[in-house]
Amino acid sequence: TEHQHVRYNPLRDDWVLVSAHRVKRPWQGQLEKPPPEDVPRWDPKNPLCPGATRANGEVNPKYEGTFVFPNDFPALQPDAPEPDDSDHPLFRAAPARGVCKVMCFHPWSDLTLPLMSLPEIRAVIDAWAELATELGASYPWVQIFENKGAMMGCSNPHPHCQVWASSFLPNEARLEDRTQRQHLSQRGVPMLLEYAEQEARRKERLVVENADWLVVVPYWATWPYQTLLLPRRHVCRLQDLSDSEKDSLASIMQRLLIKYDNLFEVSFPYSMGWHGAPTGPYLEEDCRHWQLHAHYYPPLLRSATVRKFMVGYEMLAQAQRDLTPEQAAERLRSLPEVHYK
């Protein structure tokens, strides 16, 4: 807990440097602005609000629950042309096609997931599963992700996420596919199923748990208060969850996100996303090595205004963190599950 060491991340086949003593160093660097507390519930100029006009001129319906629409500035489009053939192996390109969607969680701009009711969070989970099924019927990878807060690149103060479906497996998916396949081959059990069982027994990195799910600060965490959300049973994809597992998922998400907000009494920024077995042509293949999971990557380190920067050594050598995962888990675990607001 006091001396630097490196820890292996079997999911990414890499290492992280843990330097727990560095969190004590004085900070005279950049201070972030806390998120605004006065976000209007409805703003006609906010393109994600019900009834508002988006950049492409389309008017949103006056939706009352979740609302899904095509991204007006998509990173992937279904009809992109083939790149030219390369004349050298160092200059390779490949086709990239897909669909990008935006999903609003709620019609109110001043709500975030931890402030929503359990039925409202369950509606978000249902919409995620529906999109994963719909887009996964033809696309190999469907990435559901949420960037929360301006600090994590969110350009709009409205509760929402994005869903990008691609004609290829992205880097993280290919990496996790390889490591999980290798683990199943060597040990006869899916990696993250075995890992969840170990963490449930050890408890030192456990944050919250219920009958179907557990949240841990992973042993190999990179970001200060990074967490990993895992099902207890073997589940390959989000759309494979039962109704009761979706209910308990809504509950554990709410509990985790309330703890996050309570940590520094601020609407806690993060990037999160779901990883599960590939889809499209992979639906007909054996994907037993995969275990559904969600990653939460929050940047805040010491307070609502001091973040962890992934620069210098992290960019040029390897990831480095300033407190142990056990210290982070203990702090999160001890926080109340009633929102500070």
Side-chain angles (χ1 to χ4, degrees), residues 7 43 66 69 72 81 118 135 142 158 169 177 215 219 241 260 265-266 280 297 318 337-338:
R7 295 190 184 191
D43 181 354
T66 59
F69 62 92
D72 296 330
L118 287 177
L135 298 174
V142 180
H158 191 96
L169 288 187
D177 185 74
V215 175
Y219 178 78
L241 296 174
Y260 269 162
E265 294 195 350
V266 69
Y297 299 131
Q318 68 181 36
E337 294 186 10
V338 175

Side-chain angles (χ1 to χ4, degrees), residues 8-9 20 42 45 55 59 82 84 98 106 114 134 137 154 161 166 179 193 195 208 270 288 290-291 312 327 332:
Y8 180 63
N9 180 345
W42 184 82
K45 297 179 181 178
V59 178
E82 296 269 346
D84 295 334
H106 196 279
E134 172 194 337
C154 181
C161 72
S166 62
T179 58
L193 184 62
Y195 179 67
V208 287
Y270 58 74
R288 285 176 301 148
W290 270 92
Q291 174 75 329
Q327 290 167 335
L332 288 172

Side-chain angles (χ1 to χ4, degrees), residues 147-167:
N147 294 326
K148 183 188 173 197
M151 197 183 303
M152 296 308 289
C154 181
S155 59
N156 193 291
H158 191 96
H160 71 285
C161 72
Q162 297 188 55
V163 184
W164 293 11
S166 62
S167 61

Side-chain angles (χ1 to χ4, degrees), residues 41 63-67 103-128 146 148 158-161 249-255 257-258 261 267 270 337 339 341:
R41 181 154 291 181
Y63 63 93
E64 297 181 350
T66 59
F67 170 51
M103 186 181 115
C104 296
F105 296 155
H106 196 279
W108 295 356
S109 293
D110 58 343
L111 276 192
T112 56
L113 280 171
L115 296 174
M116 289 165 56
S117 69
L118 287 177
E120 289 168 340
I121 299 174
R122 168 64 197 267
V124 169
I125 294 167
D126 286 338
W128 282 343
E146 179 193 4
K148 183 188 173 197
H158 191 96
H160 71 285
C161 72
L249 174 57
S251 173
I252 205 163
M253 282 175 54
Q254 184 188 62
R255 292 169 63 196
L257 298 180
I258 286 174
D261 281 9
S267 185
Y270 58 74
E337 294 186 10
H339 200 277
K341 285 191 174 182

Side-chain angles (χ1 to χ4, degrees), residues 68-290:
V68 178
F69 62 92
N71 194 314
D72 296 330
F73 302 96
L76 293 163
Q77 296 178 331
D79 55 356
E82 296 269 346
D84 295 334
D85 291 335
S86 173
D87 62 354
H88 193 282
L90 292 178
F91 301 91
R92 295 166 59 192
R97 300 183 178 91
V99 172
C100 297
K101 293 183 179 288
V102 176
M103 186 181 115
C104 296
F105 296 155
H106 196 279
W108 295 356
S109 293
D110 58 343
L111 276 192
T112 56
L113 280 171
L115 296 174
M116 289 165 56
S117 69
L118 287 177
E120 289 168 340
I121 299 174
R122 168 64 197 267
V124 169
I125 294 167
D126 286 338
W128 282 343
E130 289 167 9
L131 281 169
T133 301
E134 172 194 337
L135 298 174
S138 53
Y139 286 102
W141 190 256
V142 180
Q143 184 59 65
I144 298 167
F145 65 96
E146 179 193 4
N147 294 326
K148 183 188 173 197
M151 197 183 303
M152 296 308 289
C154 181
S155 59
N156 193 291
H158 191 96
H160 71 285
C161 72
Q162 297 188 55
V163 184
W164 293 11
S166 62
S167 61
F168 55 90
L169 288 187
N171 293 343
E172 293 296 312
R174 288 190 293 110
L175 184 55
E176 289 193 4
D177 185 74
R178 175 177 65 81
T179 58
Q180 290 181 97
R181 188 186 299 275
Q182 185 177 28
H183 186 93
L184 180 66
S185 174
Q186 292 175 347
R187 295 187 57 82
V189 61
M191 177 198 294
L192 292 181
L193 184 62
E194 182 175 11
Y195 179 67
E197 291 169 350
Q198 285 288 320
E199 290 287 31
R201 180 174 61 82
R202 296 169 185 255
K203 297 192 180 301
E204 57 190 326
R205 285 169 294 276
L206 191 66
V207 178
V208 287
E209 63 178 331
N210 61 24
D212 300 312
W213 300 88
L214 69 156
V215 175
V216 300
V217 177
Y219 178 78
W220 52 80
T222 300
W223 294 92
Y225 292 96
Q226 175 180 336
T227 54
L228 184 64
L229 172 57
L230 295 162
R232 292 186 185 271
R233 78 171 177 97
H234 187 202
V235 185
C236 287
R237 300 177 177 93
L238 193 64
Q239 52 267 46
D240 297 335
L241 296 174
S242 67
D243 283 341
S244 63
E245 286 170 328
K246 291 176 183 175
D247 284 338
S248 58
L249 174 57
S251 173
I252 205 163
M253 282 175 54
Q254 184 188 62
R255 292 169 63 196
L256 170 64
L257 298 180
I258 286 174
K259 284 180 177 289
Y260 269 162
D261 281 9
N262 285 346
L263 179 60
F264 299 129
E265 294 195 350
V266 69
S267 185
F268 206 69
Y270 58 74
S271 284
M272 71 81 63
W274 285 98
H275 283 172
T279 49
Y282 295 90
L283 291 170
E284 304 301 320
E285 296 190 8
D286 183 0
C287 291
R288 285 176 301 148
H289 54 290
W290 270 92

